């Protein structure tokens, strides 16, 4: 029982950064913008998040630093992809290349330092309930926040007027523009939201997942988050399922090493990446014929005046 | 005040030519600011980056050595990008090529195998790179899976596979437990062009690849098809060009070139298989492809320039203690400016003042 509880806790922790980053990217893509720079924004978020927490001793301020860093990175993307109508795929790649360098530069002084990681919730009585107590009432704040974030995004997209307009921009920017909606401004906000989420997701890694910073610590999680958005067919509900599934694969990989299964550790480490490929193939195959992606995803929009 | 893009009646050829130069100029200006922030003398730093490596024969050879894999990979990528196929997993194809070629080198180690070893290594590496690139290409064509994500995921898989081999079955028993294979035999090594120098046969192969790509794109129907499918997909459909077939073809060629670059790097400058054989060649080659405007000659120049930044970065680190990550930042910023300046080819930038706009509208 203890082991199952420990595994569930570990899965939730491993899933949370994926869920936060993917939720942000989902909103971005719903507005019609494909930002491939999630990995770059995350990795800068990780470095800035750790720097913030180390300098101030506050996890909250660290998280804030991560959010600000991610948002600034996304603004660079918005300026390029929306302001200058540059190809979104290429701009996203550039953002990742730049992010990896910046993260190394910012984080160089913090390698080897440690901080006190984010504390876990403890409610006497409730958290002590066997099996479910720690899972439901003993997580760090980020885990609860990530679930609230997905719920909020669902509510925003499907239950509010601005959410409807944002989806309209993603499906047909020409019509949305003709109706008088400021397509580029809406998309800029969506991109910034995605950047803030990616920055926070990156900051989660050194602030709560491991209490230290190492270069390249996102290890492709930003790309997996991008795959998760495809996996979810651009729906927030399925995103939660997908993120937890991937978190589970990651943890399975760690535990298999601990149990001494006679499989090379590198093969186990490759599992999340292989799983991503398999999942992408299966899903794309199931959808052949009608894609569920926002119709205007990745296309350049230059308003005609 | 608002920045507005206005589509040009036709693409500006003048700007197409000078835009990479504008981009390099803007990047250097940005770097000066970054150096100042880091507390380093910008002029000395620029000298270390861009002038010092050009002043001695060793560095010049080293630039050609570094440019070799960059150019080979970038040529392949440019074919993909021209055909609108997004292969961004060249890093993985590079590593798999290195692994496949090293297999022969490791198996023939210490035997009296003949001169056939190196050619077989090269062929095998190219084949392995092509096959590895075909995985995302086939997933894309058959199932519609995003080639961007699948090709990238396979980079991590290739990296871990190489790591497994050099820590496990292929580890050098006399290597003091370092994760590396033994040094390759002379027959499994790419020959040097200058005795005692660094320049090797791979650079000649890279030049041949450039010539081949120039002929393919400029003189053959396949090259024409690649360009049309990318530039005008609708026209290509009317023309009866099969874009799926071109995705497969360009990915295979691109993977083969990346794989070839991988084994040339391992059997040449590195001399044995170990983790970290690539300082991100597969990703830097993306920048080389765009900076060279997806054009073979342009890619040669861009490859030499990016190689200069690698060597310059190392010199700046030694001479001025400037962190190596600055090179990556430099490359990222450069790609941004290249893309932004490309926008000038198709659009005119205009500053618009919204108030006046409204006043005019009321007429």
């Amino acid at each position: 029982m203890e082991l199952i509880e420990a595994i569930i806790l570990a899965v939730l922790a491993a899933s949370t950064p994926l869920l936060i980053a993917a939720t942000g990217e989902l909103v971005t893509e719903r507005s019609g913008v494909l930002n491939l720079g999630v990995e770059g924004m995350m990795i800068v978020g990780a470095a800035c998040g750790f720097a913030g927490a180390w300098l101030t001793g506050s996890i909250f301020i660290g998280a804030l630093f991560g959010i600000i860093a991610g948002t600034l990175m996304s603004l660079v993307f918005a300026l390029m992809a929306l302001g200058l109508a540059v190809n979104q795929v290429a701009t996203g790649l550039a953002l990742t290349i730049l992010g990896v360098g910046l993260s190394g530069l910012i984080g160089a002084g913090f390698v080897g330092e440690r901080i006190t990681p984010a504390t876990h919730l403890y409610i006497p009585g409730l958290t002590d309930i066997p099996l479910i107590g720690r899972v439901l009432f003993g997580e760090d704040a980020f885990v609860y926040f990530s679930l609230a974030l997905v719920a909020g995004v669902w509510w925003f997209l499907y239950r509010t007027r601005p959410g409807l307009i944002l989806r309209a921009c993603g499906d047909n920017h020409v019509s949305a523009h003709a109706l008088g909606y400021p397509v580029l401004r809406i998309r800029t906000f969506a991109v910034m939201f995605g950047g803030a989420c990616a920055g926070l997701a990156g900051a989660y890694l050194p602030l709560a997942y491991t209490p230290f910073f190492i270069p390249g610590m996102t290890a492709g999680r930003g790309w997996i988050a991008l795959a998760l958005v495809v996996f979810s067919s651009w729906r927030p509900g399925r995103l939660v399922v997908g993120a937890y599934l991937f978190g589970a694969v990651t943890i399975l990989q760690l535990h298999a090493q601990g149990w001494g299964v006679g499989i090379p550790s590198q093969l186990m480490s490759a599992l999340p990446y292989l799983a991503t490929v398999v999942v992408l193939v299966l899903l794309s195959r199931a959808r052949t014929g009608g894609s569920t992606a926002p119709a205007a995803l990745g296309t350049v929009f230059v308003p005609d005046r | 005040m608002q920045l507005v893009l206005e589509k040009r009646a036709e693409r500006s050829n003048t700007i197409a030519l000078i835009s990479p130069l504008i981009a390099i100029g803007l990047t250097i200006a940005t770097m000066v600011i970054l150096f100042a922030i880091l507390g380093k003398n910008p002029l000395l730093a620029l000298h270390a980056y861009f002038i010092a490596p050009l002043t001695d024969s060793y560095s010049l050879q080293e630039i050609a050595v570094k440019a070799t894999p960059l150019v080979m990979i970038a040529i392949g990528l440019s074919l993909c990008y021209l055909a609108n196929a997004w292969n961004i997993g060249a890093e993985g194809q590079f590593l798999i090529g290195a692994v496949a070629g090293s297999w022969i080198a490791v198996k023939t180690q210490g035997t009296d195998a003949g001169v056939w070893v190196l050619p077989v290594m090269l062929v095998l590496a190219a084949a392995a790179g092509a096959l590895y690139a075909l995985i995302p290409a086939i997933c894309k064509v058959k199932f519609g899976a995003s080639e961007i994500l699948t090709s990238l995921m396979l980079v991590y898989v290739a990296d871990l596979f190489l790591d497994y081999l050099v820590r496990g079955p292929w580890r050098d028993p006399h290597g003091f437990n370092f994760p590396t294979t033994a040094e390759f035999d002379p027959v499994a090594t790419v020959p040097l062009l200058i005795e005692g120098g660094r320049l090797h046969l791979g650079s000649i192969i890279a030049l041949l690849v450039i010539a081949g790509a120039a002929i393919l794109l400029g003189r053959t129907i396949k090259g024409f098809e690649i360009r049309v499918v990318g530039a005008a997909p609708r026209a290509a459909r009317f023309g009866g060009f099969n874009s799926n077939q071109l995705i497969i073809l360009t990915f295979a060629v691109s993977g083969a070139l990346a794989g070839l670059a991988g084994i040339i790097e391992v059997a040449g400058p590195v001399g044995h298989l170990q983790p970290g054989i690539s300082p991100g060649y597969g990703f830097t080659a993306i920048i080389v492809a765009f900076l060279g405007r997806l054009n073979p000659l342009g890619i040669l120049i861009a490859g030499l320039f990016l190689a200069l930044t690698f060597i310059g970065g190392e010199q700046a680190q030694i001479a001025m203690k400037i962190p190596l990550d600055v090179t990556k930042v430099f490359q990222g910023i450069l790609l941004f400016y290249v893309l932004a300046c490309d926008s000038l080819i198709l659009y005119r930038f205009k500053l618009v003042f919204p108030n006046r706009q409204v006043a005019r509208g009321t007429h």
Side-chain angles (χ1 to χ4, degrees):
Chain A
M1 281 301 137
E2 289 257 311
L3 180 68
I4 295 176
E5 193 184 66
I7 289 180
I8 294 176
L9 284 171
V11 167
L12 288 173
S15 311
T16 298
L18 297 176
L19 185 57
I20 297 175
T23 304
E25 179 66 13
L26 185 135
V27 172
T28 305
E29 292 194 14
R30 273 292 183 143
S31 80
V33 182
L34 179 66
N35 184 354
L36 290 181
V38 180
E39 176 82 2
M41 300 187 292
M42 258 183 100
I43 202 160
V44 172
C48 291
F50 188 86
W54 192 85
L55 292 171
T56 64
S58 154
I59 295 291
F60 178 75
I61 293 181
L64 214 59
F65 268 50
I67 291 173
I68 294 169
T71 312
L72 288 177
M73 293 280 287
S74 72
L75 274 173
V76 176
F77 177 87
L79 175 70
M80 298 278 297
L82 303 175
L84 302 181
V86 175
N87 180 307
Q88 292 175 9
V89 173
T91 309
L93 291 177
L95 199 65
T96 294
I97 293 173
L98 177 68
V100 171
L102 275 181
S103 171
L105 203 57
I106 296 166
F110 298 100
V111 177
E113 301 290 346
R114 291 183 86 85
I115 53 165
T116 321
T119 48
H120 285 226
L121 186 68
Y122 182 78
I123 307 169
L126 285 178
T127 311
D128 296 328
I129 303 171
L131 197 58
I132 57 161
R134 278 182 63 206
V135 172
L136 290 180
F137 308 107
E139 307 286 351
D140 59 61
F142 292 95
V143 175
Y144 300 108
F145 176 78
S146 68
L147 290 167
L149 185 72
V150 185
V153 161
W154 176 86
W155 175 81
F156 171 78
L157 284 177
Y158 295 105
R159 290 289 181 273
T160 70
R161 197 178 154 72
L164 179 69
I165 297 169
L166 183 137
R167 285 188 288 139
C169 290
D171 279 324
N172 192 330
H173 47 217
V174 179
S175 301
H177 178 67
L179 288 171
Y181 296 118
V183 173
L184 290 183
R185 196 179 311 159
I186 291 167
R187 286 187 169 169
T188 304
F189 282 127
V191 167
M192 285 169 67
F193 179 76
C197 289
L200 179 65
Y204 178 82
L205 296 170
L207 297 184
Y209 198 63
T210 58
F212 48 82
F213 173 82
I214 47 167
M217 74 184 305
T218 50
R221 285 185 177 86
W223 296 102
I224 292 181
L226 276 161
L228 278 172
V229 177
V230 182
F231 173 87
S232 71
S233 318
W234 292 266
R235 287 159 200 262
R238 294 190 194 177
L239 203 58
V240 182
V241 180
Y244 286 158
L245 219 61
F246 270 82
V249 175
T250 315
I251 294 306
L252 174 78
Q253 166 250 118
L254 284 176
H255 277 264
Q257 282 171 33
W259 295 330
V261 181
I263 303 170
S265 68
Q266 290 93 344
L267 176 63
M268 297 306 293
S269 303
L271 263 187
Y273 309 113
L274 287 170
T276 308
V277 175
V278 172
V279 160
L280 277 172
V281 166
L282 289 179
L283 274 149
S284 315
R285 192 183 140 126
R287 260 204 306 271
T288 345
S291 170
T292 53
L297 183 62
T299 51
V300 167
F301 177 63
V302 180
D304 244 341
R305 297 171 318 107
Chain B
M1 195 177 77
Q2 203 182 349
L3 180 72
V4 173
L5 301 185
E6 199 178 74
K7 204 158 177 94
R8 290 179 194 273
E10 54 188 294
R11 44 176 288 144
S12 162
N13 284 328
T14 341
I15 292 185
L17 240 107
I18 59 168
S19 90
L21 299 177
I22 304 175
I24 290 173
L26 287 171
T27 309
I28 290 175
T30 310
M31 291 309 286
V32 166
I33 298 170
L34 182 64
F35 288 135
I37 293 172
L38 289 172
K40 310 284 177 188
N41 181 335
L43 284 180
L44 287 180
L46 285 182
H47 183 269
Y49 255 88
F50 299 110
I51 312 290
L54 299 173
T55 51
D56 66 281
S57 129
Y58 179 85
S59 306
L60 281 174
Q61 288 191 48
E62 200 61 17
I63 290 171
V65 168
K66 277 269 190 305
T68 297
L70 287 176
V71 164
M72 287 176 67
I73 302 170
I75 288 280
L77 291 181
S78 71
L79 297 180
C80 285
Y81 300 163
L82 280 172
N84 224 353
W86 290 94
N87 178 11
I88 58 171
E91 180 86 0
Q93 294 139 27
F94 177 93
L95 295 175
I96 286 295
V99 163
S102 300
W103 179 59
I104 308 280
V106 169
K107 290 295 157 197
T108 58
Q109 196 107 50
T111 65
D112 49 359
V115 287
W116 56 271
V117 173
L118 185 66
V120 172
M121 282 166 70
L122 297 182
V123 170
L124 205 63
L131 283 177
Y132 206 60
L134 279 176
I135 302 172
I138 289 173
C139 289
K140 163 80 173 176
V141 169
K142 283 256 179 234
F143 310 118
S146 159
E147 77 278 27
I148 297 170
L149 293 172
T150 49
S151 67
L152 198 105
M153 288 295 127
L154 291 174
V155 173
Y156 294 95
V157 176
D159 197 32
L160 287 161
F161 183 51
L162 189 157
D163 193 73
Y164 161 70
L165 288 174
V166 293
R167 283 176 204 278
W170 291 2
R171 189 206 290 261
D172 178 12
H174 311 294
F176 304 102
N177 248 354
F178 280 111
T180 166
T181 66
E183 285 296 312
F184 290 177
D185 288 340
V187 284
T189 307
V190 176
L192 292 171
L193 293 180
I194 304 168
E195 199 58 45
R198 292 278 294 161
L199 205 60
H200 57 80
L201 190 68
S203 304
I204 305 283
I205 299 179
L207 289 176
L208 291 176
V209 166
I210 291 172
I215 293 169
L216 172 75
L217 287 173
R219 297 264 180 276
T220 67
I221 302 215
K222 249 320 157 231
F224 178 69
E225 277 185 37
I226 289 172
R227 283 183 291 132
V228 173
V229 163
R234 257 170 71 84
R237 266 200 301 281
F238 290 129
F241 299 162
N242 186 340
S243 75
N244 277 350
Q245 193 203 334
L246 283 182
I247 291 176
I248 300 271
L249 178 78
T250 53
F251 260 78
V253 173
S254 167
L257 288 175
L260 196 57
I263 192 57
I264 288 175
E265 186 70 11
V266 167
V270 182
H272 53 124
L273 189 66
Q274 62 170 44
I277 50 171
S278 163
Y281 284 133
F283 297 111
T284 310
I286 298 174
I287 305 173
V288 173
F290 280 111
L291 181 63
R293 6 201 82 265
L294 308 182
N295 164 309
L297 188 65
I299 285 172
L300 174 62
I301 299 168
L304 288 168
F305 181 70
L306 264 283
L308 173 67
T309 69
F310 272 121
I311 307 300
E314 284 170 14
Q315 298 215 350
Q317 187 194 25
I318 297 164
M320 304 181 63
K321 298 201 174 7
I322 292 176
L324 260 188
D325 283 304
V326 170
T327 308
K328 273 187 213 138
V329 173
F330 172 90
Q331 293 173 347
I333 292 175
L334 177 63
L335 182 52
F336 271 117
Y337 281 127
V338 168
L339 296 169
C341 291
D342 272 12
S343 186
L344 274 170
I345 301 171
L346 294 174
Y347 302 100
R348 220 186 293 270
F349 295 172
K350 262 193 169 175
L351 286 177
V352 171
F353 299 89
N355 295 341
R356 275 181 238 166
Q357 188 74 26
V358 171
R360 225 184 300 143
T362 52
H363 276 298

